[in-house]
Amino acid sequence: MPPIVRFAPSPTGHLHIGGVHTALFNWLYAGHEGGEFRLRIENTDTSREVAEATDQIQGSLRWLGLDWDGELTFQLDRMERCREEAQRLVAEGKAYEDEGAIRMRMPDEGVTAWEDLIRGRIEYPNEKLEDLVLVRADGRPTYNFASPVEDWLDGITHVLRGDDHISNTPKQIRILEALGAPLPAYGHLANIFGPDGKKLSKRHGSVSVEDFRREGYLPDALVNFLALLGWSYDDKTTVMSRQELIERFTLERVGASPATFDYAKLDWLNGVYLRALDPDELAGSLLSWLREQGYDWDEQLVRASVPLVQEKISKLSEYPDFVRFLFEDVEPDPTLLDGSVLGEAEAALAEVEPFTADAIERSLRVVTERLGLKPREAFQPIRVAVTGSRVSPGLFESIELLGREQTLQRISRARVAAA
């Protein structure tokens, strides 16, 4: 039978990248095995904050391309069924009432064991299992009761989740056995650490999907990167498409040791993906990102600027600083300007025909030779006057995009400022 797996986040805020990692491994496993990937929200109340977090979780997964099968389900919808099952366990003598709550009788001796899909055999001493509260006195089922009941009702065959759940697994196994329900196979994924060897958190940098989206990472690059945290296809392959990841993913190659989240490697990989995009695709991604961040820059100029930046940026958030001079006025540093160079450049550029990068370059190189300067010495004050910075995309291409009128205005103002 094809596997049915699930990702079951709690709606407590923005989706953490550790949760996404768990979702991705479930999604890849289901895809590789021809199974189903389900999404369940493990909520126990209906507050507005929960509704917002639920929308955010779905939006983040959709942005990443991790589509789920079937309808989104909520733990809250199964509360009545959980209470009924708890009462059945009481009637069968497997649970008992305690000050209004219902507790499950746990064994005191022996071990509860399972063959973990990632870690091999795990044995948990039963003496550590307290009689578990199934339903609280207020009628709300606990997580450790509701979660396995839902796995049973949803036909979940494999539970892949973080290793912080290892201590929950023996409790849930005992509950399912008491209910007479089939046991899913369990696999516990290792934690993700920051570069300092501690569990990934905000002190390391971006940690939520929203953070990475705002930073300008591409979904495909982020998915590729996350897939390599704790799993590898071989010792050398890094860049893989979604389809290749699905075809190659197996649990046998998932490691049990914590993986390190290397932000520099993610930047590098994202740059690889950016450079591989068709210029029109990159322009579309840039425009979407700019709108999300509140920029209202001219679409045609954004599209025209793509060749200037595609080889230089590693994430979309680096784009504005590279090309801001095309969309906003600049304030060049007067100490970096040279009036004589700017005067010659202004005169030369006023006569350039056609106003293209090649013709602009030829004209400015003539100026350089006439002044007896090295190209860098001559081009630097021109670059600063036109772009406001010593670092910019290609000077001649930048001047062409800016246009003759704007270029001459900026050089003229800079020449006055340098005097």
Side-chain angles (χ1 to χ4, degrees):
M1 290 288 291
I4 301 175
V5 298
R6 48 65 162 186
F7 174 52
S10 298
T12 53
H14 285 187
L15 190 55
H16 189 277
I17 206 67
V20 173
H21 183 253
T22 298
L24 174 62
F25 276 37
N26 277 278
W27 185 82
L28 288 172
Y29 180 66
H32 181 81
E33 299 291 337
E36 294 184 19
F37 169 63
R38 305 274 183 83
L39 177 61
R40 178 167 84 220
I41 303 297
E42 295 201 326
N43 65 323
T44 52
D45 65 66
T46 55
S47 67
R48 182 174 55 82
E49 290 77 12
V50 166
E52 290 175 356
T54 298
D55 290 342
Q56 188 275 330
I57 289 168
Q58 294 177 83
S60 292
L61 291 176
R62 287 195 183 103
W63 178 72
L64 287 165
L66 304 185
D67 297 324
W68 54 93
D69 298 297
E71 293 294 320
L72 171 70
T73 60
F74 295 86
Q75 194 171 79
L76 191 68
D77 296 339
R78 293 272 179 67
M79 296 297 97
E80 186 56 40
R81 178 63 183 270
C82 287
R83 285 188 283 267
E84 291 173 2
E85 294 298 334
Q87 289 293 344
R88 176 166 71 88
L89 292 178
V90 171
E92 293 174 357
K94 298 172 182 175
Y96 60 94
E97 295 191 19
D98 176 26
E99 296 183 1
I102 296 178
R103 286 184 179 272
M104 167 92 175
R105 298 187 193 278
M106 291 290 183
D108 298 323
E109 299 176 351
V111 298
T112 300
W114 70 96
E115 291 297 326
D116 197 273
L117 296 167
I118 294 164
R119 299 165 185 274
R121 185 172 178 81
I122 294 179
E123 296 185 351
Y124 196 90
N126 289 336
E127 63 187 25
K128 290 187 177 181
L129 294 178
E130 298 179 355
D131 284 3
L132 184 72
V133 174
L134 305 182
V135 179
R136 300 179 182 90
D138 64 4
R140 286 186 303 131
T142 61
Y143 161 77
N144 268 316
F145 185 51
S147 183
V149 167
E150 286 205 294
D151 288 339
W152 166 39
L153 298 177
D154 289 339
I156 302 301
T157 62
H158 295 71
V159 174
L160 302 175
R161 56 189 179 185
D163 61 7
D164 52 329
H165 283 284
I166 288 177
S167 62
N168 291 327
T169 300
K171 303 170 190 175
Q172 297 178 7
I173 287 174
R174 288 295 176 183
I175 287 169
L176 288 171
E177 287 177 341
L179 291 168
L183 294 180
Y186 291 94
H188 293 88
L189 306 168
N191 265 320
I192 299 175
F193 286 173
D196 59 359
K198 296 180 180 177
K199 196 169 180 179
L200 192 68
S201 69
K202 287 184 178 179
R203 70 176 175 272
H204 298 112
S206 299
V207 291
S208 76
V209 177
E210 292 297 314
D211 291 337
F212 289 101
R213 186 172 182 172
R214 191 164 46 246
E215 281 289 305
Y217 293 97
L218 298 177
D220 286 349
L222 190 53
V223 163
N224 188 164
F225 175 78
L226 289 174
L228 298 174
L229 294 181
W231 172 85
S232 65
Y233 173 58
D234 54 30
D235 295 331
K236 58 183 183 297
T237 308
T238 300
V239 181
M240 286 177 269
S241 68
R242 288 169 189 271
Q243 192 55 42
E244 287 171 330
L245 289 170
I246 290 171
E247 290 171 359
R248 297 168 177 175
F249 185 85
T250 61
L251 292 179
E252 286 75 19
R253 296 193 66 87
V254 175
S257 300
T260 300
F261 197 103
D262 185 341
Y263 288 88
K265 182 176 181 180
L266 174 57
D267 285 355
W268 168 81
L269 187 59
N270 202 66
V272 170
Y273 271 81
L274 282 175
R275 289 187 289 278
L277 287 177
D278 176 272
D280 284 340
E281 286 183 288
L282 177 52
S285 295
L286 279 169
L287 287 164
S288 295
W289 183 86
L290 288 166
R291 292 188 191 106
E292 287 179 8
Q293 305 309 315
Y295 290 90
D296 188 24
W297 286 355
D298 179 78
E299 178 176 337
Q300 291 308 115
L301 193 50
V302 170
R303 291 187 179 279
S305 71
V306 164
L308 275 67
V309 300
Q310 188 156 14
E311 297 297 320
K312 297 181 179 294
I313 62 174
S314 62
K315 47 190 176 182
L316 303 179
S317 59
E318 295 173 355
Y319 173 80
D321 286 343
F322 262 97
V323 299
R324 195 176 301 276
F325 70 92
L326 292 173
F327 303 91
E328 301 172 7
D329 214 346
V330 299
E331 293 289 338
D333 182 347
T335 64
L336 300 176
L337 301 172
D338 183 322
S340 60
V341 170
L342 293 176
E344 292 282 344
E346 184 180 2
L349 292 172
E351 302 298 325
V352 170
E353 287 294 345
F355 202 73
T356 62
D358 288 343
I360 290 166
E361 180 178 4
R362 286 194 296 270
S363 177
L364 290 181
R365 290 196 182 279
V366 169
V367 169
T368 300
E369 293 171 5
R370 186 162 61 244
L371 293 173
L373 297 173
K374 295 178 180 178
R376 185 172 180 178
E377 295 172 327
F379 295 158
Q380 189 75 313
I382 300 170
R383 185 188 305 275
V384 171
V386 171
T387 71
S389 172
R390 287 182 292 184
V391 180
S392 74
L395 175 60
F396 316 117
E397 294 81 2
S398 296
I399 289 175
E400 177 187 345
L401 270 187
L402 191 60
R404 190 196 309 271
E405 182 180 350
Q406 277 276 18
T407 299
L408 294 179
Q409 283 180 6
R410 290 186 183 183
I411 291 178
S412 178
R413 285 200 306 270
R415 183 166 50 78
V416 171

